[in-house]
Amino acid sequence: MAFSSSSISPCCSSKLSSNSYLPETYLKAKVQKIDAFNNNTHTFPLLQCYPFLNSKWERGELFKSGIRAAVTTEEYLLDGATENIQLLKGDSWSVHKFGGTCVGNSERIRNVADVIIQDQSEGKLVVVSAMSKVTDMMYDLIYKAQSRDESYLTALDAVLEKHKLTAMDLLDGDELASFLSRIHHDINNLKAMLRAIYIAGHATESFTDFVAGHGELWSAQLLASVVRMSGVECKWMDTREVLVVNPMSSNQVDPDYLKSGERLEKWYSKNPSMTIIATGFIASTPQDIPTTLKRDGSDFSAAIMGALFKARQVTIWTDVDGVYSADPRKVSEAVILERLSYQEAWEMSYFGANVLHPRTIVPVMQYDIPIIIKNIFNLAAPGTRICRSTDNEFEDGQISESPVKGFATIDKLALVNVEGTGMTGVPGTASDIFGTVKSVGANVIMISQASSEHSICFAVPEKEVKAVADALESRFGQALSSGCLSQISVIPGCSILAAVGQRMASSSGVSATFFSALAKANINIRAIAQGCSEYNVTVVVKQEDCVRALRAVHSRFYLTRTAIAVGIVGPGLIGGTLLDQLKDQSAVLKEKFNIDLRVMGIIGQDSMLLSDSGIDLSKWKELRSQKGETADLNKFVQHVSENYFIPNSVLVDCTADSHIASHYYDWLHRGIHVVTPNKKANSGPLDRYLKLRDLQRLSYTHYFYEATVGAGLPIISTLRGLLETGDKILRIEGIFSGTLSYIFNNFMGTKAFSQVVKEAKEAGYTEPDPRDDLSGTDVARKVIILARESGLNLELSDIPVQSLVPEPLRATASAEDFLLDLPKFDHELSKQRQEAEDEGEALRYVGVVDVVNGKGAVELRRYNKDHPFAQLSGSDNIIAFTTERYCKQPLIVRGPGAGAEVTAGGIFSDILRLASYLGAPS
């Protein structure tokens, strides 16, 4: 079928001014094979010819020819029609890029215009994306049309309405009339094209790219009109006339800088302006076929333009203040990085950081053009500068943080492991493996190979792993059958975590710190990779552990505080006092010691209070009363330990409940640290105790219980220090009960024992029922704990205990009845006191661990008045360690051993020791 020139719409042959835009100019195509094309062949507006389409169109054959976009206007073809104006490149030009969010509505477009106008650069090239969501809307049009869903017409009307309303809010007069005329014409052409796609049931990549790129055309025209209405001379550029790219694959294009530069010179000679609004995302092939720079293409457009103009800088405007040290959605305290090198930015973006697409950095590196990432919604923020690093960058104390600049993650990956002795020393094995992977079009994210060549593992997107595994098993089927390869295995549900920093190469211990942080957060590493450049260290972890791993390493490198999620079990006297101490000290810990202790939950016997970001400890009682919910220990533990932002969690058991203590093993096994003054776990059944300690030794989960024996006194740590340095414990003897210490320090003269007990209760030294103290059971538990720490495998029943509760009163119904009847039994203790005083001695209630003979005891003993035990006052505790080193003169620890303040202080000290183990500075 032949067409004459009369088929061409009159509007196509009209002369174009430098500011006009007629879609027909860009839709010229030939109904013939591309290789038959030459400039003498008649061209025609493709869309206006749809009424004449024959069955070839319906079968989709014509789509094989693609679209040939005319990147020339009549003026462009008439080189002699106007005088050439030379483009002066260099530092006088600045390039800006505004993403879809920045031009999402009329108000934001005005803000962008203000930024452009206020830029004092002599020349300004501005690259814009389509309005927010428009590109997705355009792709949806194509999907609906090729699915033969007639709702594409309604969807196209929605696109038109969105831009019409925006234009009517921004423009008036000739600018508004001109824009509306153009967009109506574009929409009519798109309707015709989409109709053709609807009939064919298929859209070629060229047709898809052509339709998808219209959002940028409209946003560029809108912005240019707004700038012009502000009194600034401005031209808009359809970058399909300038940018030439060679498609490399479905997701990659390679810019042709030489041809693009030539076309830019010609475009500028016809459209001279010092303010140019250019379309992002779209370009043309060398055959003048419309194409796109694929997703994130607008950033790429800006970088290419920066290189073509040799601009002073390229500013990427977005909706964040800059590049973060980690994803702020996962690490709440990620910080804005002031500066990144090109290599660091490339590495972080490759590994999934929301920085730039890796290819965006390549064009500007050649000319050392810095990229500035800034927030259009926070103009005061300095942003992040991406540039070439210099030797003196870290001098003068300018940058003092860790050599790791930031961290990035990639989720939804699978590890493929190819293993077998037949791989060792066989040339070409790796080539065969990755050639097979390439054949199915899979993208290899990371590779790790053992130096023995026994195995190779690599990470691919989880959605591609089945095709990869099937292809490998097919290719290496014979090797698997013969045993040369032992297995091809797949581990799904993986994530990559990468640490990035240019200074890593010159800083020792970075990898050690990185892996130590992961270990202390109880993260298991499945694969490791590090290039010799040492710009990054990469590990593969379980996807479910990825956020916790990210938070752990981020905290460890001082980009944020060492953060610990704290759960308080038992907000009674001890727990409440601890909460008050945490409240008073939290600011100091953050500022001076880089420790962030966040109480994420408080649970009592009946109710609990949970928080996602940390409880305000200044009003925790009121919050628990107002917002508390029914106590559920399992839910409480899950909430504290699986907190999304904090990798390390600790449960602080401030109760004396054996049921709570029975959960320690499970908590430690789940990677939750435990701190407690509760003696029940360490003095309970021996087999449970040994199981608990074995688990602790085999993991990086910590279990601290200093307050179980001496409240705030360093009893456990002193004993461990002696043992760990090789000393041998012979005997431990002490007054372990603050209550009984107070009672016997005041049981003198003519005072009756019952009177002293009553005074102690009134002063708050005893339990509500004094028999709990006088029975000696609490002291016996402390003796058992120290005996087991010393290596003796004793049960609580192995310790003989001298109870101070008279036998007839042990079954008395209430504490009040007990105190009323106790004076009846004063005589016996008064007699013992008198006998001791007659001999110049004092009665003291002590616990003894006889390590040499493998036994322990709790009993009332007499000591000379010059003995340290006889010289105590108040409720002080005293413990004497007799060892091979301290044989003649025991090592003595003395101080307050009872009271809420000192006990809470001992617990607090254990929490801070945990923070130190997890990476807080000492």
Side-chain angles (χ1 to χ4, degrees), residues 441-478:
N443 181 29
V444 176
I445 308 295
M446 189 202 85
I447 303 170
S448 180
Q449 180 176 12
S451 58
S452 64
E453 301 183 36
H454 178 69
S455 67
I456 296 177
C457 76
F458 53 92
V460 297
E462 204 163 33
K463 62 184 179 181
E464 298 174 356
V465 72
K466 186 178 186 307
V468 170
D470 290 346
L472 288 172
E473 287 175 357
S474 175
R475 169 65 180 81
F476 295 99
Q478 185 175 351

mmCIF file of all heavy atoms in Angstrom, residues 441-478:
data_model
loop_
_atom_site.group_PDB
_atom_site.id
_atom_site.type_symbol
_atom_site.label_atom_id
_atom_site.label_comp_id
_atom_site.label_asym_id
_atom_site.label_seq_id
_atom_site.Cartn_x
_atom_site.Cartn_y
_atom_site.Cartn_z
ATOM 1 N N GLY A 441 19.895 -15.701 32.183
ATOM 2 C CA GLY A 441 19.658 -14.281 32.414
ATOM 3 C C GLY A 441 19.615 -13.875 33.865
ATOM 4 O O GLY A 441 19.068 -12.824 34.200
ATOM 5 N N ALA A 442 20.207 -14.674 34.746
ATOM 6 C CA ALA A 442 20.182 -14.345 36.176
ATOM 7 C C ALA A 442 21.300 -13.368 36.513
ATOM 8 O O ALA A 442 22.361 -13.365 35.879
ATOM 9 C CB ALA A 442 20.323 -15.608 37.022
ATOM 10 N N ASN A 443 21.070 -12.567 37.536
ATOM 11 C CA ASN A 443 22.030 -11.565 37.974
ATOM 12 C C ASN A 443 22.741 -12.056 39.226
ATOM 13 O O ASN A 443 22.105 -12.310 40.244
ATOM 14 C CB ASN A 443 21.301 -10.246 38.268
ATOM 15 C CG ASN A 443 22.248 -9.152 38.716
ATOM 16 O OD1 ASN A 443 23.415 -9.148 38.339
ATOM 17 N ND2 ASN A 443 21.743 -8.233 39.515
ATOM 18 N N VAL A 444 24.056 -12.221 39.143
ATOM 19 C CA VAL A 444 24.843 -12.663 40.301
ATOM 20 C C VAL A 444 25.215 -11.431 41.122
ATOM 21 O O VAL A 444 25.875 -10.523 40.641
ATOM 22 C CB VAL A 444 26.110 -13.418 39.854
ATOM 23 C CG1 VAL A 444 26.950 -13.780 41.073
ATOM 24 C CG2 VAL A 444 25.733 -14.668 39.086
ATOM 25 N N ILE A 445 24.769 -11.404 42.360
ATOM 26 C CA ILE A 445 24.990 -10.249 43.230
ATOM 27 C C ILE A 445 26.338 -10.327 43.938
ATOM 28 O O ILE A 445 27.020 -9.328 44.105
ATOM 29 C CB ILE A 445 23.872 -10.151 44.296
ATOM 30 C CG1 ILE A 445 22.494 -10.205 43.639
ATOM 31 C CG2 ILE A 445 24.018 -8.880 45.115
ATOM 32 C CD1 ILE A 445 22.168 -9.052 42.747
ATOM 33 N N MET A 446 26.717 -11.529 44.357
ATOM 34 C CA MET A 446 27.941 -11.696 45.144
ATOM 35 C C MET A 446 28.492 -13.093 44.926
ATOM 36 O O MET A 446 27.732 -14.043 44.723
ATOM 37 C CB MET A 446 27.641 -11.491 46.632
ATOM 38 C CG MET A 446 28.857 -11.435 47.532
ATOM 39 S SD MET A 446 28.469 -11.817 49.256
ATOM 40 C CE MET A 446 28.538 -13.590 49.237
ATOM 41 N N ILE A 447 29.821 -13.216 44.943
ATOM 42 C CA ILE A 447 30.486 -14.511 44.758
ATOM 43 C C ILE A 447 31.451 -14.730 45.911
ATOM 44 O O ILE A 447 32.156 -13.812 46.335
ATOM 45 C CB ILE A 447 31.266 -14.560 43.429
ATOM 46 C CG1 ILE A 447 30.342 -14.277 42.248
ATOM 47 C CG2 ILE A 447 31.960 -15.903 43.261
ATOM 48 C CD1 ILE A 447 31.078 -14.071 40.934
ATOM 49 N N SER A 448 31.502 -15.952 46.414
ATOM 50 C CA SER A 448 32.474 -16.316 47.440
ATOM 51 C C SER A 448 33.011 -17.704 47.115
ATOM 52 O O SER A 448 32.236 -18.624 46.836
ATOM 53 C CB SER A 448 31.819 -16.313 48.825
ATOM 54 O OG SER A 448 32.751 -16.664 49.827
ATOM 55 N N GLN A 449 34.335 -17.836 47.128
ATOM 56 C CA GLN A 449 34.942 -19.130 46.802
ATOM 57 C C GLN A 449 36.017 -19.468 47.814
ATOM 58 O O GLN A 449 36.841 -18.614 48.179
ATOM 59 C CB GLN A 449 35.563 -19.111 45.397
ATOM 60 C CG GLN A 449 36.209 -20.450 45.018
ATOM 61 C CD GLN A 449 36.744 -20.474 43.603
ATOM 62 O OE1 GLN A 449 36.845 -19.439 42.967
ATOM 63 N NE2 GLN A 449 37.085 -21.642 43.117
ATOM 64 N N ALA A 450 36.001 -20.707 48.280
ATOM 65 C CA ALA A 450 37.035 -21.172 49.192
ATOM 66 C C ALA A 450 38.360 -21.281 48.442
ATOM 67 O O ALA A 450 38.390 -21.625 47.257
ATOM 68 C CB ALA A 450 36.658 -22.522 49.784
ATOM 69 N N SER A 451 39.471 -20.978 49.105
ATOM 70 C CA SER A 451 40.776 -21.033 48.450
ATOM 71 C C SER A 451 41.141 -22.454 48.028
ATOM 72 O O SER A 451 41.943 -22.655 47.122
ATOM 73 C CB SER A 451 41.856 -20.479 49.389
ATOM 74 O OG SER A 451 41.872 -21.207 50.600
ATOM 75 N N SER A 452 40.510 -23.444 48.642
ATOM 76 C CA SER A 452 40.769 -24.838 48.253
ATOM 77 C C SER A 452 40.091 -25.188 46.932
ATOM 78 O O SER A 452 40.310 -26.261 46.386
ATOM 79 C CB SER A 452 40.248 -25.780 49.344
ATOM 80 O OG SER A 452 38.841 -25.667 49.445
ATOM 81 N N GLU A 453 39.239 -24.273 46.431
ATOM 82 C CA GLU A 453 38.476 -24.484 45.201
ATOM 83 C C GLU A 453 37.484 -25.638 45.329
ATOM 84 O O GLU A 453 36.983 -26.144 44.325
ATOM 85 C CB GLU A 453 39.398 -24.728 43.998
ATOM 86 C CG GLU A 453 40.363 -23.586 43.718
ATOM 87 C CD GLU A 453 41.201 -23.848 42.492
ATOM 88 O OE1 GLU A 453 40.701 -24.432 41.516
ATOM 89 O OE2 GLU A 453 42.372 -23.470 42.505
ATOM 90 N N HIS A 454 37.211 -26.045 46.560
ATOM 91 C CA HIS A 454 36.290 -27.163 46.768
ATOM 92 C C HIS A 454 34.841 -26.744 46.539
ATOM 93 O O HIS A 454 33.999 -27.576 46.231
ATOM 94 C CB HIS A 454 36.464 -27.699 48.198
ATOM 95 C CG HIS A 454 35.529 -28.827 48.533
ATOM 96 N ND1 HIS A 454 35.632 -30.078 47.971
ATOM 97 C CD2 HIS A 454 34.476 -28.883 49.394
ATOM 98 C CE1 HIS A 454 34.684 -30.860 48.461
ATOM 99 N NE2 HIS A 454 33.965 -30.151 49.333
ATOM 100 N N SER A 455 34.563 -25.447 46.701
ATOM 101 C CA SER A 455 33.190 -24.985 46.536
ATOM 102 C C SER A 455 33.160 -23.540 46.068
ATOM 103 O O SER A 455 34.094 -22.771 46.314
ATOM 104 C CB SER A 455 32.412 -25.125 47.855
ATOM 105 O OG SER A 455 32.926 -24.233 48.824
ATOM 106 N N ILE A 456 32.091 -23.208 45.384
ATOM 107 C CA ILE A 456 31.802 -21.832 44.991
ATOM 108 C C ILE A 456 30.360 -21.556 45.381
ATOM 109 O O ILE A 456 29.466 -22.354 45.095
ATOM 110 C CB ILE A 456 31.960 -21.609 43.472
ATOM 111 C CG1 ILE A 456 33.407 -21.826 43.025
ATOM 112 C CG2 ILE A 456 31.506 -20.200 43.079
ATOM 113 C CD1 ILE A 456 33.594 -21.698 41.522
ATOM 114 N N CYS A 457 30.146 -20.459 46.059
ATOM 115 C CA CYS A 457 28.767 -20.069 46.334
ATOM 116 C C CYS A 457 28.547 -18.652 45.830
ATOM 117 O O CYS A 457 29.473 -17.841 45.794
ATOM 118 C CB CYS A 457 28.423 -20.197 47.814
ATOM 119 S SG CYS A 457 29.069 -18.920 48.876
ATOM 120 N N PHE A 458 27.330 -18.375 45.424
ATOM 121 C CA PHE A 458 27.018 -17.044 44.916
ATOM 122 C C PHE A 458 25.562 -16.736 45.218
ATOM 123 O O PHE A 458 24.738 -17.632 45.413
ATOM 124 C CB PHE A 458 27.303 -16.945 43.409
ATOM 125 C CG PHE A 458 26.649 -18.004 42.576
ATOM 126 C CD1 PHE A 458 25.393 -17.807 42.004
ATOM 127 C CD2 PHE A 458 27.294 -19.224 42.345
ATOM 128 C CE1 PHE A 458 24.800 -18.785 41.234
ATOM 129 C CE2 PHE A 458 26.701 -20.212 41.569
ATOM 130 C CZ PHE A 458 25.451 -19.993 41.009
ATOM 131 N N ALA A 459 25.274 -15.445 45.288
ATOM 132 C CA ALA A 459 23.926 -14.987 45.616
ATOM 133 C C ALA A 459 23.234 -14.473 44.361
ATOM 134 O O ALA A 459 23.833 -13.748 43.567
ATOM 135 C CB ALA A 459 23.984 -13.880 46.663
ATOM 136 N N VAL A 460 21.982 -14.868 44.200
ATOM 137 C CA VAL A 460 21.154 -14.391 43.095
ATOM 138 C C VAL A 460 19.791 -13.993 43.670
ATOM 139 O O VAL A 460 19.430 -14.421 44.762
ATOM 140 C CB VAL A 460 20.962 -15.477 42.008
ATOM 141 C CG1 VAL A 460 22.280 -15.856 41.377
ATOM 142 C CG2 VAL A 460 20.266 -16.708 42.584
ATOM 143 N N PRO A 461 19.029 -13.157 42.953
ATOM 144 C CA PRO A 461 17.674 -12.848 43.420
ATOM 145 C C PRO A 461 16.852 -14.122 43.598
ATOM 146 O O PRO A 461 16.946 -15.047 42.788
ATOM 147 C CB PRO A 461 17.108 -11.969 42.299
ATOM 148 C CG PRO A 461 18.309 -11.331 41.691
ATOM 149 C CD PRO A 461 19.384 -12.370 41.749
ATOM 150 N N GLU A 462 16.073 -14.162 44.645
ATOM 151 C CA GLU A 462 15.326 -15.374 44.987
ATOM 152 C C GLU A 462 14.381 -15.796 43.860
ATOM 153 O O GLU A 462 14.171 -16.984 43.625
ATOM 154 C CB GLU A 462 14.545 -15.144 46.279
ATOM 155 C CG GLU A 462 14.221 -16.410 47.034
ATOM 156 C CD GLU A 462 13.837 -16.127 48.476
ATOM 157 O OE1 GLU A 462 13.239 -15.072 48.733
ATOM 158 O OE2 GLU A 462 14.144 -16.963 49.337
ATOM 159 N N LYS A 463 13.844 -14.825 43.134
ATOM 160 C CA LYS A 463 12.911 -15.142 42.055
ATOM 161 C C LYS A 463 13.604 -15.821 40.875
ATOM 162 O O LYS A 463 12.947 -16.412 40.024
ATOM 163 C CB LYS A 463 12.209 -13.873 41.568
ATOM 164 C CG LYS A 463 13.140 -12.830 40.976
ATOM 165 C CD LYS A 463 12.387 -11.562 40.593
ATOM 166 C CE LYS A 463 13.329 -10.509 40.021
ATOM 167 N NZ LYS A 463 12.616 -9.253 39.661
ATOM 168 N N GLU A 464 14.948 -15.740 40.815
ATOM 169 C CA GLU A 464 15.684 -16.332 39.704
ATOM 170 C C GLU A 464 16.367 -17.646 40.067
ATOM 171 O O GLU A 464 16.932 -18.315 39.218
ATOM 172 C CB GLU A 464 16.750 -15.341 39.194
ATOM 173 C CG GLU A 464 16.166 -14.040 38.665
ATOM 174 C CD GLU A 464 17.242 -13.014 38.306
ATOM 175 O OE1 GLU A 464 18.439 -13.296 38.554
ATOM 176 O OE2 GLU A 464 16.896 -11.936 37.798
ATOM 177 N N VAL A 465 16.313 -18.030 41.347
ATOM 178 C CA VAL A 465 17.135 -19.147 41.798
ATOM 179 C C VAL A 465 16.678 -20.484 41.227
ATOM 180 O O VAL A 465 17.507 -21.371 40.955
ATOM 181 C CB VAL A 465 17.194 -19.182 43.341
ATOM 182 C CG1 VAL A 465 15.873 -19.639 43.933
ATOM 183 C CG2 VAL A 465 18.323 -20.088 43.811
ATOM 184 N N LYS A 466 15.383 -20.670 41.023
ATOM 185 C CA LYS A 466 14.919 -21.954 40.496
ATOM 186 C C LYS A 466 15.476 -22.192 39.091
ATOM 187 O O LYS A 466 15.963 -23.294 38.782
ATOM 188 C CB LYS A 466 13.393 -22.018 40.465
ATOM 189 C CG LYS A 466 12.852 -23.384 40.055
ATOM 190 C CD LYS A 466 11.339 -23.434 40.082
ATOM 191 C CE LYS A 466 10.821 -24.856 39.816
ATOM 192 N NZ LYS A 466 11.368 -25.456 38.591
ATOM 193 N N ALA A 467 15.414 -21.167 38.255
ATOM 194 C CA ALA A 467 15.954 -21.299 36.898
ATOM 195 C C ALA A 467 17.453 -21.564 36.937
ATOM 196 O O ALA A 467 17.972 -22.381 36.159
ATOM 197 C CB ALA A 467 15.658 -20.037 36.094
ATOM 198 N N VAL A 468 18.146 -20.909 37.855
ATOM 199 C CA VAL A 468 19.594 -21.109 37.992
ATOM 200 C C VAL A 468 19.901 -22.536 38.425
ATOM 201 O O VAL A 468 20.762 -23.219 37.839
ATOM 202 C CB VAL A 468 20.182 -20.098 39.000
ATOM 203 C CG1 VAL A 468 21.625 -20.458 39.343
ATOM 204 C CG2 VAL A 468 20.113 -18.685 38.442
ATOM 205 N N ALA A 469 19.207 -23.015 39.461
ATOM 206 C CA ALA A 469 19.454 -24.368 39.973
ATOM 207 C C ALA A 469 19.149 -25.420 38.918
ATOM 208 O O ALA A 469 19.916 -26.375 38.728
ATOM 209 C CB ALA A 469 18.623 -24.605 41.228
ATOM 210 N N ASP A 470 18.040 -25.246 38.204
ATOM 211 C CA ASP A 470 17.680 -26.215 37.152
ATOM 212 C C ASP A 470 18.734 -26.235 36.050
ATOM 213 O O ASP A 470 19.121 -27.316 35.567
ATOM 214 C CB ASP A 470 16.319 -25.864 36.560
ATOM 215 C CG ASP A 470 15.178 -26.111 37.540
ATOM 216 O OD1 ASP A 470 15.413 -26.800 38.552
ATOM 217 O OD2 ASP A 470 14.064 -25.601 37.291
ATOM 218 N N ALA A 471 19.190 -25.065 35.666
ATOM 219 C CA ALA A 471 20.199 -24.987 34.597
ATOM 220 C C ALA A 471 21.508 -25.628 35.028
ATOM 221 O O ALA A 471 22.162 -26.337 34.239
ATOM 222 C CB ALA A 471 20.416 -23.529 34.197
ATOM 223 N N LEU A 472 21.916 -25.389 36.266
ATOM 224 C CA LEU A 472 23.167 -25.970 36.759
ATOM 225 C C LEU A 472 23.069 -27.495 36.854
ATOM 226 O O LEU A 472 24.018 -28.213 36.501
ATOM 227 C CB LEU A 472 23.520 -25.381 38.127
ATOM 228 C CG LEU A 472 24.000 -23.923 38.135
ATOM 229 C CD1 LEU A 472 24.123 -23.412 39.562
ATOM 230 C CD2 LEU A 472 25.340 -23.786 37.418
ATOM 231 N N GLU A 473 21.943 -27.972 37.342
ATOM 232 C CA GLU A 473 21.777 -29.427 37.461
ATOM 233 C C GLU A 473 21.747 -30.080 36.089
ATOM 234 O O GLU A 473 22.244 -31.201 35.905
ATOM 235 C CB GLU A 473 20.500 -29.732 38.235
ATOM 236 C CG GLU A 473 20.629 -29.424 39.733
ATOM 237 C CD GLU A 473 19.329 -29.602 40.480
ATOM 238 O OE1 GLU A 473 18.311 -29.920 39.826
ATOM 239 O OE2 GLU A 473 19.321 -29.412 41.715
ATOM 240 N N SER A 474 21.195 -29.385 35.111
ATOM 241 C CA SER A 474 21.193 -29.912 33.749
ATOM 242 C C SER A 474 22.608 -29.907 33.162
ATOM 243 O O SER A 474 23.050 -30.898 32.574
ATOM 244 C CB SER A 474 20.261 -29.076 32.875
ATOM 245 O OG SER A 474 20.331 -29.487 31.528
ATOM 246 N N ARG A 475 23.318 -28.789 33.360
ATOM 247 C CA ARG A 475 24.666 -28.656 32.788
ATOM 248 C C ARG A 475 25.650 -29.609 33.435
ATOM 249 O O ARG A 475 26.534 -30.173 32.774
ATOM 250 C CB ARG A 475 25.124 -27.205 32.958
ATOM 251 C CG ARG A 475 26.597 -26.933 32.659
ATOM 252 C CD ARG A 475 26.932 -27.174 31.190
ATOM 253 N NE ARG A 475 28.328 -26.908 30.920
ATOM 254 C CZ ARG A 475 29.322 -27.745 31.165
ATOM 255 N NH1 ARG A 475 29.052 -28.943 31.706
ATOM 256 N NH2 ARG A 475 30.571 -27.426 30.887
ATOM 257 N N PHE A 476 25.539 -29.795 34.757
ATOM 258 C CA PHE A 476 26.511 -30.606 35.490
ATOM 259 C C PHE A 476 25.914 -31.938 35.943
ATOM 260 O O PHE A 476 26.375 -32.534 36.924
ATOM 261 C CB PHE A 476 27.040 -29.838 36.699
ATOM 262 C CG PHE A 476 27.822 -28.604 36.334
ATOM 263 C CD1 PHE A 476 27.224 -27.355 36.374
ATOM 264 C CD2 PHE A 476 29.145 -28.693 35.920
ATOM 265 C CE1 PHE A 476 27.929 -26.211 36.034
ATOM 266 C CE2 PHE A 476 29.857 -27.556 35.584
ATOM 267 C CZ PHE A 476 29.255 -26.309 35.628
ATOM 268 N N GLY A 477 24.900 -32.399 35.234
ATOM 269 C CA GLY A 477 24.261 -33.657 35.606
ATOM 270 C C GLY A 477 25.229 -34.822 35.643
ATOM 271 O O GLY A 477 25.206 -35.654 36.557
ATOM 272 N N GLN A 478 26.106 -34.902 34.632
ATOM 273 C CA GLN A 478 27.064 -36.010 34.569
ATOM 274 C C GLN A 478 28.052 -35.931 35.723
ATOM 275 O O GLN A 478 28.401 -36.949 36.335
ATOM 276 C CB GLN A 478 27.796 -35.978 33.225
ATOM 277 C CG GLN A 478 28.724 -37.169 33.028
ATOM 278 C CD GLN A 478 29.342 -37.177 31.627
ATOM 279 O OE1 GLN A 478 28.947 -36.402 30.766
ATOM 280 N NE2 GLN A 478 30.309 -38.061 31.420
#
